[in-house]
Amino acid sequence: MRLTRALAVTALTILMIIGTVRVAVAQQTVTPNVAPNVAVGPQYDTTHVYVTPDDFDRFVASVLATFGGTTTKQVVATVTPTPSSTLSQLILTPVGSISVFGYTTPVPYPFGVERTGYLVSDMEVAVRAAKVTGADVLVTPFDDPIGKDAIIQWPGGVYTQLYWHTTPSSYKPLETIPENRVYVSPGSADTFIRSFLCFSKGDIVSDDDRAPGIEIGRPRDTYRRVRISSNFGKLTVFVTDGQLPYPYGRELTGYEVTNLGETLAKAKGAGVTILVGPYQADQRHASFVQFPGGYIAEIHSAVKK
C-alpha cells in the first residue's frame, strides 16, 4: 500500500512538472525573446475614424479647430481588397494623426473595427512577427493605392491595421504623443500585454492594480491600468470587468495638450460636445469629448506642480 501511494505521488509530481514545462514552452512560443523591430515612429501611427460623407468635412474642420495642424488632399479611393469606395483624408495635428474615412458604399468586413493604423518598415516581416507573438491575421496583406495593408487581431480582441508605403512618408515629429486606449478583460490582459510588448519592442511604464476608478466612470472603485511606451507610440491598457458607463470604452485615443481648458473652449466653438469632465486623476486633468460625426476621444493635460 505504501509503495502504491509512493508511486501515485511520484506520478502526480511528474505530471505537474510536465504541465509546468508545457506552460513555460507555450509562453515562450507566444512571446519569443527575439522579434524584429518594424515600428517607424509615432507620428506615422493614425487613429482610424469612420464618418458618413455628410459629416466628413465638418469632422475634419472640428479637429483642426481643436488641435491645429494640416491635412492631405481629400481623395476618393478603394482602400480595401474587395470593391468599395470611400472619401479619404489624413489629418496631421501636433498631438496625433487621424485617418478619416467616409464610405459611399457599404464597408466590407472587417474594416471599421480596427482602431489604429501602424506604419511598419516591412509588411511581410511585420505580419510574421504579429503571428509569432500571438496575433491573428484577419486580412492578409493586400495592395492599396499607395502601398500595402493588413488587419490583425491581438489576444483580447483588439484590432489593428498595419500599413506600408511604397514611397516612404516624412512627417514632422509630434509635440505630444497620443495614447491608444485599449480595454481588455482580466482573463486576457496579460496575454495581450505580452504579445504587444514583444511585437512593439516596447516597455511597461507603469502597472497600477489600484488605479482610480474615476478614470473609467466608477469613482468608488479601483481597477488595473497598464501604460506602455514603444516606437509605435503610447498605449494604455484598461483591465476591467466590462461594466462601464457610457462613454468609457468608446474612446479610441487620448490626446495630450498643454492646457485642457483652452483646448476644450476651442472644441466647443467647433461643435464638439463635452461628454465627461474635466476631472483630475493620475497627475492629469482629463475630459471626454465627441466630435461631429460621432468620434469620441479623451483629451488631457498634465497637472502643473
Side-chain angles (χ1 to χ4, degrees):
M1 182 67 72
R2 291 180 180 175
L3 180 59
T4 302
R5 288 180 178 174
L7 288 173
V9 171
T10 301
L12 180 59
T13 302
I14 292 173
L15 288 174
M16 291 175 64
I17 292 173
I18 291 173
T20 302
V21 170
R22 284 177 177 171
V23 170
V25 171
Q27 289 177 341
Q28 289 176 0
T29 301
V30 172
T31 56
N33 293 326
V34 178
N37 188 353
V38 294
V40 179
Q43 68 267 42
Y44 302 102
D45 303 328
T46 67
T47 301
H48 284 197
V49 176
Y50 288 69
V51 297
T52 66
D54 290 342
D55 287 326
F56 197 101
D57 291 338
R58 200 159 59 100
F59 170 72
V60 172
S62 69
V63 171
L64 292 176
T66 301
F67 299 125
T70 61
T71 68
T72 60
K73 182 180 178 181
Q74 184 183 125
V75 298
V76 177
T78 298
V79 296
T80 61
T82 52
S84 68
S85 181
T86 183
L87 300 174
S88 179
Q89 192 167 23
L90 181 63
I91 309 176
L92 300 167
T93 84
V95 297
S97 302
I98 298 175
S99 291
V100 192
F101 302 100
Y103 275 82
T104 56
T105 63
V107 183
Y109 177 82
F111 295 87
V113 298
E114 83 284 359
R115 54 188 303 113
T116 310
Y118 284 155
L119 179 63
V120 295
S121 56
D122 187 301
M123 179 59 74
E124 291 185 5
V125 172
V127 168
R128 285 200 301 269
K131 288 180 181 178
V132 170
T133 55
D136 186 21
V137 180
L138 293 186
V139 180
T140 56
F142 63 93
D143 294 333
D144 72 10
I146 58 175
K148 289 183 178 293
D149 302 90
I151 294 181
I152 62 175
Q153 182 184 30
W154 303 101
V158 179
Y159 297 87
T160 298
Q161 184 158 333
L162 305 178
Y163 73 98
W164 170 83
H165 282 169
T166 305
T167 302
S169 301
S170 179
Y171 304 153
K172 294 191 303 183
L174 300 172
E175 291 180 7
T176 60
I177 298 174
E179 61 180 18
N180 187 355
R181 295 168 66 91
V182 174
Y183 288 72
V184 297
S185 69
S188 61
D190 288 334
T191 305
F192 167 75
I193 292 167
R194 239 184 351 256
S195 178
F196 185 82
L197 284 173
C198 186
F199 178 80
S200 67
K201 313 300 289 183
D203 298 300
I204 292 179
V205 177
S206 65
D207 186 345
D208 187 352
D209 61 1
R210 295 189 62 80
I214 191 173
E215 297 175 349
I216 58 171
R218 289 161 50 176
R220 296 182 180 180
D221 300 327
T222 60
Y223 76 104
R224 182 184 177 196
R225 184 207 331 109
V226 182
R227 299 196 189 279
I228 295 173
S229 179
S230 75
N231 205 32
F232 283 119
K234 296 178 180 179
L235 183 142
T236 299
V237 185
F238 298 84
V239 185
T240 79
D241 57 13
Q243 299 180 19
L244 304 169
Y246 181 85
Y248 301 91
R250 292 294 182 186
E251 82 282 9
L252 300 181
T253 303
Y255 300 97
E256 182 180 352
V257 297
T258 302
N259 187 299
L260 179 62
E262 292 179 359
T263 300
L264 292 181
K266 294 177 184 177
K268 285 191 230 179
V272 177
T273 302
I274 311 301
L275 298 178
V276 177
Y279 64 89
Q280 183 174 328
D282 192 36
Q283 297 302 307
R284 61 168 64 172
H285 296 293
S287 183
F288 282 62
V289 303
Q290 184 173 43
F291 288 85
Y295 174 55
I296 297 174
E298 187 258 21
I299 305 176
H300 62 270
S301 61
V303 174
K304 295 181 179 179
K305 297 181 180 180

